[in-house]
């Protein structure tokens, strides 16, 4: 069973308690009216789909209900780190250290 660490509950919980909520750290423009159709499409629909590390939002929907962010490897499905929503994204150096 895949366990995900909830940084709010401070516990490793079964994956079934969590809901995937998309890519993390998406910066939405403040001036939506000023976007072209292509810029809007890119902002709204286009997401990273790497073979390797991705930063994602998850929700502990069957637990505390709070949103969190995760560093996950898409090939191994291993969660390298979870952290509270609103905390800064890990640096490239942080991610390199997680992979060691
Ligand atoms: Zn939780």
């Amino acid at each position: 069973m895949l366990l995900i660490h909830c940084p709010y509950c401070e516990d490793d919980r079964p994956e079934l308690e969590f809901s995937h909520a998309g890519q993390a750290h998406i910066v939405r423009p403040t001036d939506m009216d000023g976007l072209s159709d292509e810029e809007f499409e890119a902002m709204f629909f286009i997401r990273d789909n790497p073979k390797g590390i991705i930063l994602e939002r998850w929700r502990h929907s069957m637990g505390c209900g709070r949103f969190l962010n995760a560093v996950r490897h898409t090939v191994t499905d291993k969660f390298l780190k979870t952290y509270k929503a609103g905390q800064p994204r890990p640096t490239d150096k942080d991610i390199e250290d997680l992979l060691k």
Side-chain angles (χ1 to χ4, degrees), residues 6 8-9 60 64:
C6 177
Y8 300 100
C9 297
H60 193 185
C64 64

Side-chain angles (χ1 to χ4, degrees), residues 9-62:
C9 297
E10 297 183 353
D11 194 15
D12 295 337
R13 303 299 306 159
E15 173 194 9
L16 296 174
E17 293 185 7
F18 292 83
S19 304
H20 184 257
Q23 186 176 338
H25 304 288
I26 301 293
V27 178
R28 290 169 172 77
T30 55
D31 179 22
M32 294 288 245
D33 290 339
L35 296 179
S36 68
D37 288 348
E38 292 78 18
E39 290 169 330
F40 182 81
E41 176 188 21
M43 181 278 302
F44 201 76
F45 294 109
I46 307 300
R47 295 293 178 257
D48 293 343
N49 188 20
K51 180 179 179 182
I53 298 299
I54 190 165
L55 305 179
E56 299 173 314
R57 294 184 74 201
W58 286 77
R59 184 174 183 212
H60 193 185
S61 50
M62 309 262 283

Side-chain angles (χ1 to χ4, degrees), residues 9 13-14 28 36 51-53 56 65-66 71 74 82 85 91-92 94 99:
C9 297
R13 303 299 306 159
R28 290 169 172 77
S36 68
K51 180 179 179 182
I53 298 299
E56 299 173 314
R66 301 186 77 175
V71 180
T74 60
T82 58
T91 65
D92 290 344
D94 294 336
L99 291 169

